[in-house]
């Protein structure tokens, strides 16, 4: 296993890197999408059991002081649309979580995009206040989304929090063809297979790291990459975004076929400088390092 740390600093976003090889992993790198996963989120290690991937995150989407719960159900069938995917949201109260007022989001419920066979909406989740309004927002990975004629290119939906909870109004859809997002959609990239949120540039807005584990880098198939989208008062934007591979300046390692750099990401302040940093897993990288 190869674990790369991208370290943030004042005014530099994510830049300086460190590399750790053959160390005890911070993140368990799942080589297949339906195996057990562990994700480092806000300093806590959350585990997903084997089987169809279900991810659970808590945050205060309606800013009422009670934590709420988002549950990704990527294998949810939507009528005849097999594995279209969904996200359930349960809201917290003084008595705990309740199904009353809960929500179910799919790409057929006012969210950009359209539910399609095998999309896997809810495949990955990340929480952050991307627009800095005090309400937690939710990024939803749709890693098998077809983008036009490009099969399984992948996408990310972003739902914004409000006093009424999460809403599809004003929500966003990002792909590698979105304005400002670096690179371009290609078949089977799996953009959005993993997500990590944190304020990488310290400006008070949460930012989003998007794993693209099957990204081809030049002629190197499946080398992998990570896109970073930055938060603003208007929400996430591709403008000023970053794109990292193992051929990026300062990133240790070398792109090689099927390294899958970006198969896992984790955000945290690893060097104690109060800027959120990013750990990126490349599960096959160690064999040739």
């Amino acid at each position: 296993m190869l674990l790369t740390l991208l370290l943030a600093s004042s005014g530099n976003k994510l830049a300086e890197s460190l590399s750790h090889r053959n160390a005890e992993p911070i993140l368990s790198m799942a080589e297949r999408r339906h195996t057990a996963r562990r994700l480092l989120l806000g300093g806590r290690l959350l585990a997903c059991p084997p089987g169809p991937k279900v991810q659970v995150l808590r945050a205060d989407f309606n800013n009422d002081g009670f934590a709420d719960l988002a549950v990704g159900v990527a294998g949810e069938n939507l009528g005849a649309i097999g594995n279209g995917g969904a996200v359930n949201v349960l809201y917290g109260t003084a008595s705990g979580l309740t199904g009353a007022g809960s929500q179910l989001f799919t790409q057929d419920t006012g969210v950009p995009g359209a539910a399609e066979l095998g999309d896997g909406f809810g495949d990955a989740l990340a929480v952050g206040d991307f627009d800095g309004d005090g309400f937690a927002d939710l990024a939803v990975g749709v890693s098998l989304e077809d983008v036009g004629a490009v099969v399984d290119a992948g996408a990310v939906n972003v739902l914004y929090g409000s006093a009424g909870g999460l809403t599809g109004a004003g929500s966003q859809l990002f792909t590698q063809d979105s304005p400002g997002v670096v690179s371009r959609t290609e078949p089977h990239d799996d953009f959005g297979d993993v997500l990590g949120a944190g304020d990488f540039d310290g400006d008070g807005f949460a930012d989003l790291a998007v794993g693209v584990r099957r990204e081809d880098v030049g002629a190197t198939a499946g080398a992998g990459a990570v896109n970073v989208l930055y938060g603003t008062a208007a929400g996430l934007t591709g403008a000023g975004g970053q794109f990292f591979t193992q051929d990026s300046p300062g990133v240790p390692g070398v792109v090689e076929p099927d390294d899958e750099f970006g198969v896992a990401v984790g955000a945290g302040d690893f060097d104690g400088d109060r800027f959120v940093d990013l750990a990126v897993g490349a599960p096959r990288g160690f064999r040739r390092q």
Side-chain angles (χ1 to χ4, degrees):
M1 175 186 296
L2 178 67
L3 180 68
T4 298
L5 304 181
L6 302 178
L7 304 180
S9 61
S10 179
N12 289 328
K13 298 184 178 179
L14 290 169
E16 180 186 355
S17 302
L18 300 173
S19 182
H20 294 267
R21 291 177 295 187
N22 299 334
E24 182 66 23
I26 295 175
L27 307 172
S28 173
M29 308 308 179
E31 295 198 6
R32 302 179 68 178
R33 62 194 314 103
H34 294 314
T35 60
R37 290 198 177 199
R38 292 178 182 175
L39 300 176
L40 187 67
L41 298 163
R44 296 187 179 186
L45 203 59
L46 303 181
C48 292
K53 192 162 82 175
V54 175
Q55 188 175 344
V56 178
L57 288 182
R58 67 177 188 175
D60 192 357
F61 300 120
N62 56 3
N63 198 23
D64 64 355
F66 299 104
D68 310 313
L69 188 70
V71 183
V73 194
E76 178 80 359
N77 294 334
L78 307 174
I81 303 173
N83 297 330
V87 174
N88 284 99
V89 182
L90 306 176
Y91 285 89
T93 71
S95 303
L97 289 171
T98 177
S102 62
Q103 296 171 290
L104 177 70
F105 289 99
T106 74
Q107 285 188 308
D108 284 345
T109 59
V111 177
E116 299 168 311
L117 180 68
D119 270 354
F121 177 85
D123 190 43
L125 303 176
V127 166
D129 187 0
F130 302 122
D131 56 1
D133 65 355
F135 297 97
D137 311 310
L138 182 68
V140 181
V142 199
S143 62
L144 299 180
E145 175 89 354
D146 295 346
V147 179
V150 184
V151 176
D152 294 347
V156 174
N157 283 100
V158 183
L159 309 175
Y160 286 89
S162 70
L166 289 173
T167 176
S171 59
Q172 297 170 289
L173 177 70
F174 289 97
T175 73
Q176 286 187 307
D177 283 348
S178 296
V181 178
V182 184
S183 192
R184 60 186 177 86
T185 59
E186 298 168 310
H188 310 294
D189 269 355
D190 285 5
F191 177 85
D193 183 57
V194 295
L195 302 172
D199 187 1
F200 301 123
D201 56 0
D203 65 353
F205 301 102
D207 312 308
L208 185 68
V210 183
V212 199
R213 67 186 183 93
R214 295 300 304 170
E215 176 86 1
D216 295 343
V217 179
T220 308
V226 174
N227 282 97
V228 182
L229 310 177
Y230 283 88
T232 71
L236 286 174
T237 178
Q242 294 175 286
F243 181 73
F244 292 98
T245 73
Q246 286 185 301
D247 275 354
S248 296
V251 176
V254 178
V255 296
E256 296 167 308
D258 301 316
D259 269 357
E260 294 195 342
F261 177 83
V263 75
V265 298
D269 184 4
F270 303 123
D271 56 0
D273 66 353
R274 299 187 180 182
F275 290 92
V276 178
D277 312 309
L278 185 68
V280 182
R284 297 182 175 93
F286 79 96
R287 294 192 293 220
R288 294 177 294 272
Q289 295 294 321

